[in-house]
Amino acid sequence: MQRYFIPNANWQNNTISIEGDDAHHIIRVMRMQAGDKIICNKLDASAAICEITELNTDRVTAEVLEWLESITELPVNVTIAQGLPKGDKIELVLQKGTELGAYAFIPFQAERSVVKWDARKTDKKLIRFSKIVKEASEQSHRNRIPEIKQAMNLSQLIQEGQRYDIKLFAYEEEAKTNEFHSFSSVINQVKNDDHILICIGPEGGFSQEEVTSLKQHDFIPVRLGPRILRTETAALYALSSISYHLEELGGTSCQQ
């Protein structure tokens, strides 16, 4: 069944009014009819199997048949702070990171970021990014849509970090030493519902000044394996590792 995230205001008891792009997708793309079933998500993460009862030119009405209890979210809340990369790499991070369970994303202007976003460009990009994570959430049957926060500089990111239980940054120099913080050693210590911030540098990595500042504010440098990863790969490696450790590894989960 197709899944759609419907704003809470469009729910009236067990009746859902679907408009905009979602209605267009149901009517024009999927060519559904009254009686067809879909899954509708509230933005509070609850979801229900619904039956379409009426289709107009730009609106679909559906009724709740059954509330679902399945939870597809990671047991921890992982925010990816992605140093602005070149081209459309950040769109790949958003799409695949959403599929892998990211809780939120923060684009940040790193010292070595080649691209520079002004306010006008940022607003336009965030609209497109919101559509990407919504569609990826629907495709991967997430219970919620990740939040995309406003772009930050390093100082703002450090300030934001005060809200998190665990703060990490992927540092390529950790991969070159015999004594290093392994990613797994940190993940083994997390507890259910912990908020984790993982910072990924742009193509050129973090500058020495950024590394020093992050360490001074209790961000932990970690190694993501012995190889040097591309910036768009690092976040996906981290999320995949967390999922494996906490959801798949012998049926274990994080600490209570």
Side-chain angles (χ1 to χ4, degrees):
M1 282 182 281
Q2 293 291 315
R3 180 177 295 244
Y4 301 93
F5 284 85
I6 311 301
N8 292 350
N10 289 45
W11 296 69
Q12 298 295 328
N13 297 320
N14 285 333
T15 300
I16 305 102
S17 178
I18 306 170
E19 304 168 335
D21 289 343
D22 290 333
H24 174 82
H25 188 265
I26 291 170
I27 298 167
R28 306 298 180 194
V29 179
M30 300 305 299
R31 299 186 181 277
M32 293 185 182
Q33 303 294 325
D36 287 342
K37 295 178 178 60
I38 57 176
I39 296 175
C40 294
N41 267 75
K42 279 189 170 182
L43 299 186
D44 63 2
S46 55
I49 297 175
C50 303
E51 180 178 330
I52 296 173
T53 57
E54 185 178 356
L55 302 94
N56 297 318
T57 55
D58 58 356
R59 183 191 299 264
V60 175
T61 303
E63 295 287 336
V64 172
L65 296 179
E66 176 188 355
W67 289 97
L68 300 174
E69 297 182 359
S70 61
I71 300 298
T72 57
E73 299 302 305
L74 287 172
V76 293
N77 306 299
V78 183
T79 295
I80 299 296
Q82 177 67 54
L84 296 182
K86 294 182 290 186
D88 58 1
K89 294 176 183 177
I90 194 167
E91 296 186 4
L92 174 68
V93 172
L94 293 171
Q95 183 187 62
K96 302 307 178 186
T98 296
E99 292 177 24
L100 290 166
Y103 180 82
F105 298 94
I106 303 173
F108 84 95
Q109 190 78 54
E111 186 175 325
R112 292 176 178 170
S113 291
V114 175
V115 261
K116 308 293 180 185
W117 288 3
D118 56 29
R120 181 182 59 82
K121 184 181 294 186
T122 298
D123 291 342
K124 185 176 180 180
K125 285 182 175 294
L126 289 179
I127 292 172
R128 172 165 172 74
F129 294 166
S130 295
K131 183 176 181 181
I132 289 172
V133 297
K134 177 180 180 293
E135 291 177 351
S137 295
E138 291 169 344
Q139 182 275 322
S140 57
H141 283 207
R142 292 279 303 268
N143 289 97
R144 62 181 305 278
I145 302 173
E147 178 185 3
I148 304 177
K149 298 179 183 286
Q150 287 289 332
M152 301 181 184
N153 58 35
L154 187 67
S155 296
Q156 292 168 325
L157 184 61
I158 288 172
Q159 182 72 21
E160 170 76 11
Q162 296 178 10
R163 303 170 53 193
Y164 292 80
D165 301 298
I166 298 172
K167 301 175 292 187
L168 311 173
F169 69 99
Y171 187 37
E172 62 271 16
E173 294 303 317
E174 288 286 305
K176 301 176 183 177
T177 64
N178 292 325
E179 296 182 4
F180 54 84
H181 289 101
S182 72
F183 192 55
S184 63
S185 67
V186 176
I187 298 307
N188 283 335
Q189 302 303 313
V190 304
K191 301 182 291 295
N192 277 331
D193 295 323
D194 271 354
H195 285 264
I196 304 171
L197 177 61
I198 304 177
C199 304
I200 309 294
E203 287 86 356
F206 292 103
S207 69
Q208 188 56 55
E209 291 77 11
E210 288 173 326
V211 170
T212 299
S213 184
L214 288 167
K215 287 181 177 179
Q216 287 174 344
H217 291 86
D218 301 321
F219 284 72
I220 303 170
V222 291
R223 177 183 109 153
L224 301 182
R227 293 161 293 280
I228 305 301
L229 304 178
R230 289 179 178 270
T231 182
E232 67 271 27
T233 307
L236 308 185
Y237 176 102
L239 288 163
S240 299
S241 298
I242 290 172
S243 174
Y244 178 69
H245 267 76
L246 304 186
E247 297 179 312
E248 300 298 330
L249 187 58
T252 60
S253 64
C254 49
Q255 301 176 29
Q256 302 296 318

